[in-house]
Amino acid sequence: MTDIKRPIYLDYAATCPVDPRVLEAMLPYFGDRFGNAASRTHVFGWQAEEAVEAARREIATSLNADPKEITFTSGATESNNLAIKGVVEYLAEAGKKHIVTAVTEHKAVLDTCKHLERHGCEVTYLPVAQDGRVTPEQVAAAIRPDTALVSLMIANNETGVLHPITEIGAACRAAGVLFHTDAVQAFGKIPVDVEAMNIDLASLSAHKLYGPKGVGALYIRRRKPRVRLAPQIHGGGHERGTRSGTLNVPGIVGFGYAAKLAREELASESARVFELREHLRRRLVTEIPHAIVNGSLEHRLPGTLNISFAYVEGESLLMGLKDIAVSSGSACTSASLEPSYVLRAMGLDDELAHSSLRITIGRFTTREELDFVADLIQREVARLRDMSPLWEMVQEGIDLRTIEWTPH
Ligand SMILES: *Cc1c(COP(=O)(O)O)cnc(C)c1O
C-alpha cells in the first residue's frame, strides 16, 4: 500500500500526461525534421507537410470524416470560438442570429455565446434535468426560423454525462440548422462518428487524449450540408484559409498519433477504465453513507465519477486529500469560491456542490491506486463528519430541514 507513488493523478478530464509513445513520435519534429509545413520549395517543408497530412488522416478516420474536413487549431477553446463565431458571422448576412446551447456547456462555449450576445445575437441556454441531460425535444422546441447554430457537448467535462447526441443531431438536421458539438471529452473515449451522429462541426483537443497541450482541431462538414464559416484568425491563408498561422508540426504529429492509439485501443481501454471506475464507485457508495453520484450513471463516460459527500465541508475534504489529484465542485474563479455551475444547474444545493469531487480515471490508473484512494476518502470523510455538529444531529435522527436556525 505505502509503496504507491504519490500524489496519485485522477484528473484526466483536466489534462492527460503525454503517452510515451506519442512523445516518441513527436521528437524528430523538434529535431532535424523542423521544417515549416507551408514551405513548398524544399524537402524540409515537404517532410513537415507529409507528417501533418498523415495526422489529419488519422483524426479524420477516427471521426469517420474526410481529411479535408479537419482544420488544426491551438486547442478546443479556439475550435469552439471558431465554430460558433465563424458560423454566426457567416450566417448573419442571412439574418440568422440565434444560438441554442445549454447551461452546462464548457466556458469556451458559454463565454463565446455571451460575447456574441453583446454583439446583437440572441442565445437560448437550455436547462438540464437532474441527471444532467437535455432532450432532443427541448432542442427542437428551442429552434427558431433565425437559428444559426445549435451547440451542445457530447460529454460534460465535470460529470461525464452524455447528451443524446445522435437524436439532437437528427433534430437539427430535420430543422435545417447546423449542429456543433464540443467533442473534447468524448473523443478517444467513446466512438464519435460525425455521420451516424449528424454532427456538422466538432471541437477536439489533443491534451485530453494523451497528446500535447496547445493543439486541437475543428471538424467542419464539407458535404450534405457544406458548412461555411468566417475565419477568426487572418494572415497567410493556412488551413485552406480557415485558420491562418504556421502549423504546430510536432504538436499535430503527436495529436495524430494519440488519435490513432486511442482508436486502436478504444474498446479494450474503455472496458478497463469502466471496470476501474465502477470498482471505485461501488466502494465509495457502499462504504460511505450519504455519498451521492451526480448525473446519469447510465449515460456517462467510462472514466468519470462526480460524487458528493453530504455533511462534509468541501474545502476541508480537499485539504485532507493532498495525496490525490482530483477536482472539486468548487471552482476557484478569481478570489471567490463559487459552487460548480454545472452541478447547480442539475439542482444540487451549494453545500452538496461544494462537497463534490470529480475523479477521472485514465490510461495509467491502477486498481491499487483506487483502493488507496477509496480508503483515504472514506477515512477523511469519517474524520470530518466526526468533528461536525451537523453530522451528530443527523446521526441522532434529527431532520435538519425542520430546524429553525437562529442567526448570530
Ligand atoms: C478541456 C476542454 C476544453 C478546452 O480545450 P483546450 O484545448 O484546453 O483549450 C473545451 N471543452 C471541454 C469539454 C474541455 O474539457
Side-chain angles (χ1 to χ4, degrees):
M1 260 301 146
T2 46
D3 58 0
I4 286 181
K5 189 167 156 276
R6 280 167 275 167
I8 296 170
Y9 191 74
L10 290 172
D11 206 10
Y12 284 84
T15 194
C16 301
V18 172
D19 188 299
R21 297 169 292 179
V22 170
L23 179 61
E24 187 87 12
M26 291 170 69
L27 283 175
Y29 296 89
F30 289 110
D32 53 12
R33 294 191 213 165
F34 60 83
N36 184 330
S39 297
R40 292 277 150 77
T41 51
H42 50 69
V43 68
F44 294 91
W46 304 333
Q47 250 176 2
E49 192 193 12
E50 212 174 279
V52 165
E53 293 317 311
R56 205 188 299 278
R57 284 194 295 276
E58 290 297 348
I59 292 158
T61 302
S62 298
L63 290 172
N64 188 23
D66 186 279
K68 290 196 188 78
E69 297 176 311
I70 305 299
T71 294
F72 287 113
T73 65
S74 65
T77 298
E78 186 190 333
S79 300
N80 284 338
N81 272 265
L82 174 58
I84 298 169
K85 291 177 187 164
V87 164
V88 165
E89 189 180 326
Y90 190 86
L91 291 179
E93 278 176 37
K96 302 210 173 194
K97 54 171 178 42
H98 176 238
I99 302 168
V100 178
T101 185
V103 289
T104 50
E105 288 293 309
H106 191 271
K107 286 289 183 190
V109 166
L110 293 177
D111 288 354
T112 300
C113 289
K114 293 260 149 62
H115 168 82
L116 289 170
E117 277 181 304
R118 289 191 294 271
H119 290 80
C121 281
E122 289 174 33
V123 182
T124 301
Y125 299 93
L126 297 173
V128 298
Q130 200 175 2
D131 67 359
R133 307 181 87 211
V134 299
T135 64
E137 291 76 22
Q138 276 178 285
V139 176
I143 290 174
R144 318 190 309 208
D146 64 343
T147 303
L149 187 71
V150 170
S151 179
L152 287 168
M153 65 205 329
I154 301 183
N156 185 273
N157 46 297
E158 286 193 34
T159 59
V161 167
L162 307 171
H163 286 317
I165 285 300
T166 303
E167 294 76 11
I168 289 170
C172 296
R173 190 67 47 89
V177 171
L178 294 177
F179 177 43
H180 165 251
T181 190
D182 177 337
V184 171
Q185 293 288 337
F187 188 58
K189 323 266 174 53
I190 57 170
V192 177
D193 181 325
V194 293
E195 292 304 326
M197 294 171 142
N198 308 300
I199 294 166
D200 298 319
L201 301 113
S203 300
L204 310 175
S205 179
H207 74 103
K208 305 288 175 78
L209 138 117
Y210 309 95
K213 294 166 190 52
V215 59
L218 181 64
Y219 159 79
I220 308 169
R221 178 176 287 281
R222 274 170 67 89
R223 15 193 323 269
K224 297 183 184 174
R226 181 182 184 93
V227 176
R228 294 182 182 279
L229 47 72
Q232 299 300 304
I233 295 179
H234 304 94
H238 307 75
E239 297 295 86
R240 298 162 180 273
T242 302
R243 197 278 191 183
S244 287
T246 300
L247 292 178
N248 171 1
V249 178
I252 289 169
V253 167
F255 187 12
Y257 200 69
K260 175 185 160 74
L261 290 176
R263 184 177 74 242
E264 289 172 352
E265 297 171 5
L266 191 142
S268 58
E269 181 164 305
S270 63
R272 192 190 78 91
V273 163
F274 175 77
E275 278 306 312
L276 287 175
R277 186 203 76 198
E278 281 301 280
H279 174 64
L280 178 67
R281 182 187 65 82
R282 277 191 299 264
R283 278 204 57 187
L284 293 177
V285 297
T286 53
E287 293 172 24
I288 304 176
H290 303 281
I292 306 144
V293 174
N294 297 313
S296 168
L297 200 53
E298 184 189 350
H299 304 284
R300 172 186 293 261
L301 288 176
T304 307
L305 187 62
N306 191 305
I307 189 163
S308 294
F309 303 98
Y311 315 112
V312 165
E313 213 247 314
E315 250 179 299
S316 316
L317 179 60
L318 267 191
M319 295 224 291
L321 300 177
K322 285 219 178 70
D323 273 346
I324 65 178
V326 296
S327 276
S328 87
S330 307
C332 301
T333 43
S334 54
S336 69
L337 205 62
E338 289 280 323
S340 149
Y341 67 92
V342 172
L343 298 179
R344 291 289 286 115
M346 290 159 62
L348 269 74
D349 60 28
D350 283 6
E351 308 305 319
L352 273 184
H354 274 307
S355 74
S356 75
L357 297 178
R358 176 187 70 180
I359 305 173
T360 40
I361 291 156
R363 188 172 285 171
F364 306 110
T365 308
T366 66
R367 195 177 168 101
E368 289 68 38
E369 288 178 327
L370 294 181
D371 279 324
F372 176 90
V373 167
D375 290 342
L376 181 65
I377 294 177
Q378 194 253 332
R379 220 166 40 234
E380 271 310 302
V381 170
R383 188 180 67 84
L384 291 170
R385 282 179 178 168
D386 277 347
M387 303 189 307
S388 153
L390 230 56
W391 179 245
E392 205 173 313
M393 291 160 80
V394 173
Q395 294 297 89
E396 285 163 7
I398 300 168
D399 185 348
L400 295 179
R401 280 165 306 187
T402 64
I403 295 177
E404 283 185 34
W405 304 98
T406 40
H408 56 93

